[in-house]
Amino acid sequence: LTGTSREQRAFQYLLAHAIPGDPHHILQTFDQWCYHCEHLSCVGPDKGRIVERVLLERAPLRVLELGTYCGYGTVLLAQGLPPGARLYTIEGDPRHAAVAEKVIRLAGFSEQTVELIVGPSEEVIPHLREKHGLMKADLVFMDHWKRCYLRDLRLLESHQLLAEGATILADNVLFPGAPHFLQYAKTCGKYHCKVHRATLEY
């Protein structure tokens, strides 16, 4: 009725209630909106703790996120990066990317720390090295279309964009589910797999 999207309304709420430059408070305010106003398919606080734990354990210097959406996961990842690390995040929908860009900058992250790349992941991934300077990713967070998980993992492999010992963290592989990705990861012999049980967002 307002002519604005849910994502834009969430950002307006952030502007009104969140503390600029405080990533933790930005995420908390996002959570309040999603619990009490409108549901958004963000990672959320429960699964967010898994992401934070992995970041703490791995301390990755080069992180690739597939599926920026509103920037919630991006802020979550960026706040857990070690000094000197860089995050590349890819969003296929220009409208979502426009909101995410504002959220990321509101949280206080510069383009030197977080680079937002707009375009379909299958078109962006092959050019990450020459266009964006990503030589190899230490951590990949997949939170885009589940049907794209396996295709994009194979693209990352074929373009040699995964560092030795890299971690692939994929959301919602059981529900709504990415069965082909899961089967490949478990049976191809390249990965050690662990499934983290968690609730759905909010």
Side-chain angles (χ1 to χ4, degrees):
L1 290 175
T2 62
T4 58
S5 67
R6 276 189 304 173
E7 295 78 19
Q8 288 171 318
R9 290 194 291 273
F11 177 68
Q12 291 303 321
Y13 185 81
L14 284 184
L15 278 179
H17 297 93
I19 300 169
D22 186 336
H24 183 67
H25 197 259
I26 296 277
L27 296 176
Q28 278 188 325
T29 310
F30 244 130
D31 292 335
Q32 287 170 1
W33 171 265
C34 294
Y35 277 124
H36 304 296
C37 301
E38 293 181 278
H39 177 270
L40 295 174
S41 296
C42 302
V43 179
D46 292 338
K47 288 189 286 188
R49 281 187 279 276
I50 296 169
V51 176
E52 288 172 334
R53 190 168 71 242
V54 171
L55 284 168
L56 199 61
E57 289 170 359
R58 303 294 180 188
L61 289 175
R62 295 293 175 266
V63 178
L64 175 63
E65 179 186 33
L66 303 179
T68 318
Y69 188 41
C70 292
Y72 183 106
T74 315
V75 172
L76 180 69
L77 290 164
Q79 74 168 355
L81 293 177
R86 188 163 168 76
L87 169 59
Y88 303 80
T89 182
I90 301 171
E91 174 53 49
D93 188 326
R95 294 165 302 176
H96 293 161
V99 173
E101 180 83 46
K102 290 184 259 191
V103 170
I104 294 162
R105 305 312 167 209
L106 184 68
F109 298 109
S110 69
E111 289 182 16
Q112 281 68 46
T113 304
V114 179
E115 181 178 349
L116 173 59
I117 305 162
V118 185
S121 55
E122 72 272 21
E123 294 178 15
V124 174
I125 289 171
H127 303 289
L128 280 172
R129 184 171 285 115
E130 63 268 27
K131 275 193 178 181
H132 303 280
L134 175 60
M135 305 311 289
K136 290 185 185 291
D138 304 304
L139 173 70
V140 179
F141 182 50
M142 293 186 168
D143 195 16
H144 56 327
W145 295 107
K146 312 312 158 207
R147 65 176 182 270
C148 302
Y149 279 17
L150 179 55
R151 179 201 69 196
D152 287 352
L153 177 60
R154 284 180 160 160
L155 270 177
L156 290 168
E157 290 174 349
S158 65
H159 289 276
Q160 299 180 322
L161 286 164
L162 297 175
E164 189 176 344
T167 300
I168 315 291
L169 195 56
D171 193 18
N172 298 118
V173 293
L174 298 180
F175 183 86
H180 299 300
F181 165 84
L182 207 52
Q183 183 184 23
Y184 176 77
K186 285 179 175 178
T187 60
C188 71
K190 300 174 187 175
Y191 305 100
H192 298 288
C193 289
K194 180 179 179 181
V195 176
H196 299 269
R197 301 284 172 175
T199 59
L200 286 173
E201 308 85 11
Y202 310 110

